[in-house]
């Protein structure tokens, strides 16, 4: 399985819904879990996603870009290893 498919399966097994997004066309070393705001519940949701994927809590980053359409956006880096 590829990393994206493995992450999607892991998230589904942990009770999270997942949708496919656009691939990032650059290589990243570290995975990032983006959340749309800094509300405690939003950041916790990001930390829950990170934990399900074996990523550290520090991988959660607030991205206050206008028009967020998802609760959490995940960008996998080369550090991601399916759990």
């Amino acid at each position: 399985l590829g990393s994206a498919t493995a992450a999607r399966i892991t998230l589904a097994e942990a009770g999270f819904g997942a949708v496919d997004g656009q691939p990032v066309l650059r290589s990243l070393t570290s995975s990032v879990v983006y959340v749309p705001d800094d509300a405690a519940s939003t950041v916790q949701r990001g930390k829950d996603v990170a934990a399900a994927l074996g990523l550290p809590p520090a991988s959660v980053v607030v991205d206050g870009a206008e028009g967020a359409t998802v609760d959490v956006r995940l960008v996998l880096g080369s550090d991601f290893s399916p759990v």
Side-chain angles (χ1 to χ4, degrees), residues 6-71:
R8 189 171 45 255
I9 291 169
T10 300
L11 289 172
E13 289 174 349
F16 295 101
V19 295
D20 288 331
Q22 297 296 321
V24 174
L25 300 178
R26 58 188 163 97
S27 178
L28 297 175
T29 304
S30 299
S31 298
V32 182
V33 179
Y34 291 104
V35 295
D37 60 59
D38 62 356
S41 61
T42 304
V43 173
Q44 185 58 52
R45 187 177 307 118
K47 289 180 180 180
D48 292 344
V49 166
L53 295 171
L55 301 172
S59 65
V60 178
V61 175
V62 174
D63 176 14
E66 295 282 328
T69 59
V70 294
D71 295 329

